[in-house]
Each structure stands twice: as C-alpha cells, then as structure tokens.
C-alpha cells in the first residue's frame, strides 16, 4: 500500500497489528486496543495504488475523487465506523491504536 501519499504525510513505514503491538510494548506502552480502519475501502485503495504505480496519472484519482466516488466513500466509511463498534476488522488501509504508558512505579 505504500505510496507518495505516505511520504507526504511523513510516514516511514506501514505496520501490521502485531508489529505495532510489539513496538508499543518495547517503548514501554501498554496497548489497550489496536484496530484496522478503512476495511471496506481496502479493495479500492489497493487498485488505486497499483494503478498509480503503473501509470502516475491515476494517482490524481485518489487525491481528487469525483463527487460520486467521494459520496460513496463517505457512505462506506460511515457504515464501517458504525459496524466497527462491534466488529474488529481483519485488515484495513490504516491502523489505529490506543495505548498508555504507566507512571513510574506502576504495577498493573
């Protein structure tokens, strides 16, 4: 999924849930929840990124979707957020985490 969009956002790499959990623990955090996000749009993102690699002109389609594509994406994301309260998606184009770093001397 790596693209120039990641570079523009200052990302260094993409993580799996397992990798993120390991890195958080190594940094002294206690992960509470790690969830994938944008599961329903993942096929669209995959095709978009592949097309952009084959033909850079396609990159603009992801950056500036038409009104219909934007409206459909909005409906899918809203639906995913609603259903995501009860379902932990197995994949997604993004990973969201909640973790905390215990205070010194904390024995949780």
């Amino acid at each position: 999924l790596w693209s120039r969009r990641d570079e523009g956002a200052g990302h260094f790499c993409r993580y799996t849930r397992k990798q993120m959990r390991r890195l958080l623990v190594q940094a002294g955090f206690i992960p509470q929840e790690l969830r994938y996000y944008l599961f329903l749009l993942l096929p669209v993102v995959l095709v978009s990124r592949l097309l952009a690699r084959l033909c850079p002109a396609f990159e603009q389609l992801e950056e500036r979707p038409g009104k219909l594509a934007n409206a459909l994406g909005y409906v899918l994301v809203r639906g995913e957020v609603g259903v995501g309260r009860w379902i932990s998606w197995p994949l997604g184009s993004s990973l969201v985490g909640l973790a905390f770093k215990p205070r010194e001397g904390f024995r949780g």
Side-chain angles (χ1 to χ4, degrees):
L1 290 178
W2 188 263
S3 73
R4 288 197 314 178
R5 177 175 266 197
D6 291 292
E7 294 165 6
H11 298 167
F12 295 101
C13 65
R14 289 180 161 267
Y15 300 100
T16 64
R17 188 182 289 158
K18 185 176 179 179
Q19 289 170 322
M20 183 177 275
R21 181 176 303 282
R22 187 183 78 246
L23 289 169
L24 285 167
V25 169
Q26 287 175 353
F29 287 88
I30 299 172
Q32 295 298 294
E33 190 167 3
L34 298 171
R35 288 180 167 245
Y36 285 108
Y37 178 63
L38 298 175
F39 171 74
L40 296 176
L41 285 178
L42 185 58
V44 175
V45 172
L46 286 169
V47 169
S48 172
R49 303 288 164 89
L50 178 60
L51 289 174
R53 286 187 184 137
L54 297 173
C55 178
F58 280 103
E59 193 171 50
Q60 289 304 311
L61 290 176
E62 186 176 332
E63 292 298 322
R64 298 177 194 268
K67 288 183 180 184
L68 181 60
N70 208 26
L72 179 59
Y74 177 80
V75 169
L76 286 173
V77 169
R78 294 291 298 169
E80 178 176 319
V81 168
V83 175
R85 292 181 179 128
W86 299 283
I87 293 175
S88 182
W89 302 108
L91 296 169
S93 68
S94 296
L95 184 58
V96 178
L98 173 67
F100 72 93
K101 194 162 191 171
R103 293 185 305 264
E104 199 66 34
F106 175 79
R107 299 196 196 288

